[in-house]
Amino acid sequence: MQCPKCRGNMRTYERNGVHIEQCDNCRGIFLDYGELETLTRMESQYHAAPPPPPAPGPAWGAPHGGYHHGHHRQRSWVGMLFST
């Protein structure tokens, strides 16, 4: 497939069920119909509030005698799609 912008060679990547075409030459990204909506929905879910922490229980086996809290998500959905 050729890039509609520069006529470079296109490669298809599949990330999280979404097919993304990217040009090897200009690095442009092209999506098929409906894939932008899928990415938007995935981004909303990614940035949704995390579930509440579990109820306190025995501290044995927990790091440093306490509970480990989840990490904050700071990467964007684009970073999530193209991570290796």
Side-chain angles (χ1 to χ4, degrees), residues 1-65:
M1 183 185 308
Q2 284 189 341
C3 174
K5 181 179 177 184
C6 72
R7 301 290 181 222
N9 194 27
M10 300 286 289
R11 289 187 188 209
T12 301
Y13 298 95
E14 196 262 316
R15 298 285 192 261
N16 299 320
V18 177
H19 295 279
I20 299 169
E21 283 77 38
Q22 185 173 27
C23 176
D24 287 338
N25 190 35
C26 72
R27 308 297 290 171
I29 295 175
F30 300 89
L31 303 170
D32 292 333
Y33 181 80
E35 291 178 338
L36 181 59
E37 290 80 6
T38 301
L39 291 173
T40 303
R41 183 175 12 87
M42 289 171 61
E43 181 181 24
S44 296
Q45 292 171 353
Y46 184 76
H47 290 292
W60 57 270
H64 307 291

